[in-house]
Amino acid sequence: QVQLVESGGGLVQPGGSLRLSCAASRGMFQDYHMGWYRQAPGTQRELVGSISTGGILNYANAAKGRFTISRDDAKNTVYLDMSSLKPEDTAVYYCHARRRLTGEQVWGQGTQVTVSS
């Protein structure tokens, strides 16, 4: 089973930018559709966006135009580039993997993003 470790979270001012990384190991990364989710306290976990094994992208409406997902299969890493950050983007951000065909799913431990002045 693939293992996922997120990094790059932290405190950023409104309007700022941040890059989150999700490093995968112990699995065939190229066989997994990858996604980013986020969860604020007291809320449901919600999709931010995803990228398929073939590079097909989809984004939640809240992320469109501001966030970009990419993957580097050579580095077994998926990225979430965030810009024009807003206080409502504050959440724990989780990396997610879903294996093509088998449906095996794995979550990372999460990384905190706080957008505040």
Side-chain angles (χ1 to χ4, degrees), residues 65-105:
R66 300 189 299 123
F67 294 3
T68 301
I69 294 173
S70 60
R71 67 189 294 159
D72 187 338
D73 288 351
K75 295 182 178 180
N76 293 344
T77 301
V78 63
Y79 303 97
L80 178 64
D81 290 295
M82 304 182 290
S83 63
S84 301
L85 283 162
K86 306 172 182 178
E88 52 262 45
D89 295 319
T90 296
V92 177
Y93 283 71
Y94 296 91
C95 185
H96 175 261
R98 178 169 61 86
R99 191 173 186 180
R100 187 175 60 89
L101 300 181
T102 71
E104 170 196 342
Q105 297 186 62

Side-chain angles (χ1 to χ4, degrees), residues 6 8-12 18 20 36-48 67 80 82 85-95 109-116:
E6 302 98 331
L11 176 65
V12 62
L18 209 59
L20 304 183
W36 286 97
Y37 292 73
R38 67 187 184 186
Q39 187 171 22
T43 72
Q44 298 277 6
R45 190 171 299 185
E46 65 179 10
L47 174 72
V48 176
F67 294 3
L80 178 64
M82 304 182 290
L85 283 162
K86 306 172 182 178
E88 52 262 45
D89 295 319
T90 296
V92 177
Y93 283 71
Y94 296 91
C95 185
Q109 84 289 346
T111 184
Q112 176 72 46
V113 173
T114 302
V115 184
S116 176

